């Protein structure tokens, strides 16, 4: 049935006048209007539109105003054009974090939060009071015949684990794929550890890492902290070797040197809470004019959030935070959504219902589109196609169109509609790192328009004047 329905989409899209004609008409497709929209969304005043920030909310209100000016209707269930969803904004470190270390001499050392230790951003809140077990790098790699837990009983112990791996910082080393903290936490938990203390390698004098928040790993189901290695200078194995000596031996021989301490204990407590807030997608609707077709829906969308001052997702190498303007990624796509909304509203002859969406939280993991499809304010079973625009502002050689294999009609439709205007590079896969994936995962045919990566991607230098507006 969707195959037949999409045939009518060909009529709708094929009926759009050429870009040249639309520019002459003075509508939103006017180059100056597009430039103004991108320039505002990518301005310093919106500080990079990171989800959950004031700049992001300002961008949402701006886009809602554009939908209103175009004459789009609101979709039930929201506040005007804003449809909010719950967003995991970060983690707050509470006041009750603590770490005490006691050596064989019975002397208790109370560590200082911030300078001596910090709870890991993915830690569960909880406590442990137990002997310390040194578990090397905390790695189990059967294919490398290496297991830091071999020969020790970690059950009920506080495991002390070095960050990184025997390959140090070599991203191409044999152990590189095992050095992630997520894998190490899972491994410690599987071996029955009561808690985890991560330390830098003893020969690493760099600063204590901060409590990093990873939205994809927010609850370790075990208390976990990051501490200075010097707190454990008195820890020795049965042969009297220090942690520094053990690190040297492990790195040299590629063999574990784990042990359960005798008389060395730790007591710790972690106190963290996740912070949530409601953030908006922006949604507007043009009801279909054909009574026989208007219960069928085509979604046209693109995300409007970006990376704020940098941080997670940034490729910027500078030391100081800098606004990531996101002109191409994805003020260009958001401007495209507004332009199409305005154009279809002016035409006034869409047979099917068109829903226009400026998605939020794309940079954090397609959060806005996923939330929309989880609890859609419309009948998602009526959606026959989704068109996504992400980074459409830097056309140079070819226009990339992904998802061409998600419907048997797409390739012919694209060829007919394009009529040689753009060199097209077609990619059949309907999945990819943008919001169309949230629709294709529900079996909905998709097209994703994209003009390619460039050296300004996810950097502060993605600015409005570099966009190819014509």
């Amino acid at each position: 049935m969707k195959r037949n329905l999409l045939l009518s989409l060909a009529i709708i899209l094929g009926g759009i006048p050429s870009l040249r004609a639309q520019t002459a008409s003075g509508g939103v497709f006017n180059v100056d209007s597009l430039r103004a929209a991108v320039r505002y969304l990518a301005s310093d005043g919106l500080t990079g539109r990171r989800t959950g920030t004031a700049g992001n909310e300002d961008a949402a209100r701006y886009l809602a105003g554009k939908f209103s000016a175009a004459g789009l209707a609101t979709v039930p269930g929201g506040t005007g054009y804003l449809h909010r969803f719950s967003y995991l904004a970060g983690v707050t470190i509470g006041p009750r974090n603590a770490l005490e270390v006691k050596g064989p001499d019975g002397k208790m050392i109370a560590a200082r939060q911030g300078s001596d230790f910090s709870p890991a951003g993915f830690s569960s809140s909880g406590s442990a009071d137990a002997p310390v077990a040194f578990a090397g790098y905390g790695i189990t790699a059967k294919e490398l015949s290496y297991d830091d837990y071999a020969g020790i009983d970690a059950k009920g112990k506080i495991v002390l684990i070095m960050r990184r791996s025997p390959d140090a910082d070599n991203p191409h080393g044999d152990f590189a794929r095992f050095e992630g903290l997520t894998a190490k936490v899972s491994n410690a938990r599987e071996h029955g550890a009561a808690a985890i203390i991560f330390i830098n390698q003893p020969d690493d004098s760099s600063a204590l890492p901060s409590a990093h928040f990873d939205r994809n790993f927010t609850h370790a189901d075990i208390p976990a902290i990051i501490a200075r290695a010097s707190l454990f200078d008195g820890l020795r194995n049965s042969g009297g070797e220090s942690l520094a000596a053990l690190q040297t031996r492990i790195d040299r021989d590629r063999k574990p040197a784990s042990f359960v301490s005798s008389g060395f204990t730790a007591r710790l407590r972690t106190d963290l809470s996740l912070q949530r807030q409601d953030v908006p997608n922006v949604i507007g609707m043009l009801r279909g004019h054909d009574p026989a077709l208007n219960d069928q829906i085509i979604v046209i969308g693109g995300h409007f959030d970006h990376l704020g001052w940098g941080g997670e997702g940034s490729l910027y190498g500078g030391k100081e935070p800098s606004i990531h303007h996101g002109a191409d990624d994805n003020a260009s796509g958001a401007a495209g959504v507004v332009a199409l909304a305005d154009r279809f509203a002016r035409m006034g002859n869409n047979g099917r219902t068109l829903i226009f969406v400026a998605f939020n939280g794309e940079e954090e993991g397609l959060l806005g589109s996923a939330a929309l499809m989880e609890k859609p304010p419309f009948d998602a079973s009526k959606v026959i196609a989704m068109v996504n625009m992400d980074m459409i502002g830097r056309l140079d050689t070819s226009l990339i169109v992904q998802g061409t294999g998600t419907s048997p009609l797409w390739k012919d439709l694209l060829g007919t509609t394009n009529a040689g205007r753009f060199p097209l590079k077609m990619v059949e896969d309907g999945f990819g790192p943008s919001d169309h994936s949230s629709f294709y995962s529900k079996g909905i045919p998709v097209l994703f328009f994209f003009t390619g990566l460039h050296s300004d991607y996810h950097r502060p230098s993605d600015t409005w004047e570099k966009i190819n507006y014509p």
Side-chain angles (χ1 to χ4, degrees):
M1 180 169 130
K2 283 187 177 178
R3 187 176 302 183
N4 293 329
L5 296 176
L6 286 170
L7 188 58
S8 295
L9 178 59
I11 297 172
I12 292 176
L13 294 180
I16 298 176
S18 71
L19 181 63
R20 186 183 306 276
Q22 293 175 51
T23 300
S25 74
V28 171
F29 276 97
N30 178 280
V31 168
D32 290 337
S33 299
L34 285 170
R35 183 182 291 109
V38 172
R39 186 171 184 175
Y40 173 75
L41 291 170
S43 65
D44 284 355
L46 297 193
T47 62
R49 311 185 305 282
R50 173 74 82 171
T51 304
T53 65
N56 182 274
E57 291 281 344
D58 287 344
R61 285 190 288 269
Y62 171 83
L63 293 167
K66 291 294 185 183
F67 282 179
S68 177
L72 271 60
T74 60
V75 178
T79 303
Y81 298 97
L82 304 184
H83 281 249
R84 295 185 176 272
F85 62 95
S86 179
Y87 168 70
L88 184 58
V91 62
T92 298
I93 299 176
R96 296 184 298 276
N97 294 281
L99 171 63
E100 296 176 323
V101 177
K102 183 170 68 174
D105 59 2
K107 183 180 179 181
M108 182 73 74
I109 299 175
R112 295 164 298 176
Q113 181 178 332
S115 56
D116 294 332
F117 82 97
S118 177
F122 49 77
S123 174
S124 300
S125 292
S127 61
D129 186 349
V132 172
F134 175 66
Y137 289 100
I139 292 173
T140 297
K142 294 181 179 179
E143 57 268 52
L144 300 177
S145 299
Y146 183 97
D147 185 0
D148 278 313
Y149 288 91
I152 66 168
D153 180 9
K155 188 173 182 179
K157 310 296 192 304
I158 295 176
V159 291
L160 185 66
I161 297 173
M162 294 186 294
R163 297 171 61 235
R164 303 188 177 89
S165 79
D167 289 321
D169 292 323
N170 181 4
H172 306 295
D174 293 336
F175 289 91
R177 66 185 184 278
F178 301 103
E179 69 176 39
L181 297 187
T182 303
K184 293 184 178 186
V185 167
S186 177
N187 201 22
R189 197 171 55 231
E190 289 176 6
H191 284 88
I196 306 168
I197 299 176
F198 288 105
I199 58 172
N200 284 342
Q201 295 97 321
D203 66 356
D204 182 354
S205 60
S206 59
L208 186 72
S210 60
H212 175 68
F213 173 64
D214 182 348
R215 190 165 285 100
N216 298 312
F217 185 44
T218 59
H219 194 68
D221 289 328
I222 188 173
I225 67 173
I226 303 173
R228 287 195 301 108
S230 59
L231 292 171
F232 301 91
D233 283 346
L235 186 61
R236 298 287 189 274
N237 66 0
S238 59
E241 292 177 285
S242 66
L243 295 185
L246 292 172
Q247 180 203 341
T248 299
R249 180 150 65 87
I250 296 170
D251 294 352
R252 181 192 65 219
D253 300 339
R254 295 297 199 267
K255 293 181 180 180
S258 305
F259 68 97
V260 177
S261 65
S262 176
F264 204 104
T265 63
R267 182 166 58 198
L268 61 84
R269 182 171 61 246
T270 52
D271 176 21
L272 303 94
S273 60
L274 297 176
Q275 300 301 310
R276 292 186 176 276
Q277 64 186 99
D278 288 340
V279 297
N281 288 321
V282 188
I283 308 177
M285 177 174 61
L286 284 177
R287 295 190 183 277
H289 295 278
D290 187 333
L293 298 175
N294 62 15
D295 67 336
Q296 299 163 15
I297 298 170
I298 297 166
V299 175
I300 299 172
H303 76 93
F304 72 92
D305 63 300
H306 196 53
L307 301 180
W309 288 86
E312 182 182 357
S314 173
L315 299 177
Y316 174 54
K319 294 182 179 180
E320 297 297 325
S322 182
I323 294 173
H324 287 51
H325 298 90
D328 191 25
D329 186 14
N330 185 37
S332 66
V337 172
V338 168
L340 288 175
D342 180 87
R343 183 58 186 172
F344 277 113
R346 288 171 183 268
M347 291 170 65
N349 62 353
N350 52 293
R352 293 178 171 79
T353 294
L354 305 180
I355 291 180
F356 299 88
V357 187
F359 297 108
N360 210 341
E362 190 271 354
E363 299 289 3
E364 318 286 353
L366 316 185
L367 300 182
S369 56
L372 181 70
M373 294 307 291
E374 182 179 350
K375 294 182 179 180
F378 48 82
D379 187 350
S381 69
K382 303 295 186 181
V383 178
I384 64 167
M386 189 272 177
V387 177
N388 182 35
M389 294 173 287
D390 193 349
M391 297 179 64
I392 60 170
R394 300 283 284 268
L395 184 68
D396 183 14
T397 55
S398 61
L399 175 62
I400 302 165
V401 188
Q402 297 185 21
T404 59
T406 64
S407 165
L409 295 182
W410 281 146
K411 292 180 182 178
D412 288 343
L413 171 57
L414 285 164
T416 301
T417 307
N418 183 51
R421 277 178 285 184
F422 299 108
L424 298 182
K425 179 181 178 181
M426 299 191 192
V427 181
E428 292 191 350
D429 193 2
F431 287 112
S434 192
D435 291 302
H436 58 285
S437 292
S438 298
F439 290 79
Y440 186 54
S441 66
K442 304 294 185 182
I444 297 170
V446 297
L447 287 177
F448 166 37
F449 291 91
F450 173 53
T451 56
L453 293 175
H454 44 75
S455 60
D456 300 308
Y457 172 69
H458 280 200
R459 294 177 173 88
S461 54
D462 182 11
T463 49
W464 68 271
E465 72 276 3
K466 296 179 182 178
I467 299 299
N468 180 352
Y469 294 99

